[in-house]
Amino acid sequence: MCKRILAEFVKYDGNSVFGVYVRVRAVFSNLDAQAQCEPLQIKDSWKTGEDGYYYYQKQLQPGQRTDTVFDNIVIKNIVKKEDLVPFDILVYEESVQSEGFSSPEEAFARL
């Protein structure tokens, strides 16, 4: 059975005055800890980019929130409790104006 650690829900609250696209990057603070975990299970409204960012696939209008990126982190079955390495997950968020672009990937490629 997998061990689960409930992660704080990762969402972005839109506070701009115009529509935006959003991307986030989730980084483990410790590479040994990352190796002890299963790959993150990203929600359907997000897409994993080739650059390691997760792209929200909807335009975010002022006052709107994204859906959750992921809900939990799963520790691999083979990891013993006494071998667990403490870690944090650092989440970086960026947004870009969506006007004139048909996808978040296209908008961020212009930066």
Side-chain angles (χ1 to χ4, degrees), residues 2 6 14 19 26-27 38 66 78 82 84 86 100 103 106:
C2 292
L6 185 60
V27 179
E38 298 290 346
T66 66
I78 59 172
E82 59 272 10
L84 281 173
S103 72
E106 178 189 1

Side-chain angles (χ1 to χ4, degrees), residues 96-111:
V96 64
Q97 189 169 348
S98 60
E99 185 178 340
F101 301 104
S102 60
S103 72
E105 294 84 357
E106 178 189 1
F108 282 102
R110 294 289 183 103
L111 293 180

Side-chain angles (χ1 to χ4, degrees), residues 15 20 30 52 58 61 77 83 86 97:
N15 60 0
V20 297
N30 184 307
K58 302 174 189 173
Q61 298 303 318
N77 290 342
D83 295 333
Q97 189 169 348

Side-chain angles (χ1 to χ4, degrees), residues 2 6 10 21 28 34-36 51-53 56 58 61 65 75-76 79 81 83 87 91-93 104:
C2 292
L6 185 60
V10 179
Y21 285 120
F28 282 77
Q34 183 175 358
Q36 293 180 338
D51 56 3
Y53 280 90
Y56 191 58
K58 302 174 189 173
Q61 298 303 318
R65 289 182 168 176
I75 307 297
K76 294 177 181 176
V79 178
K81 185 176 181 178
D83 295 333
F87 65 93
V91 179
Y92 303 95
E93 174 277 325

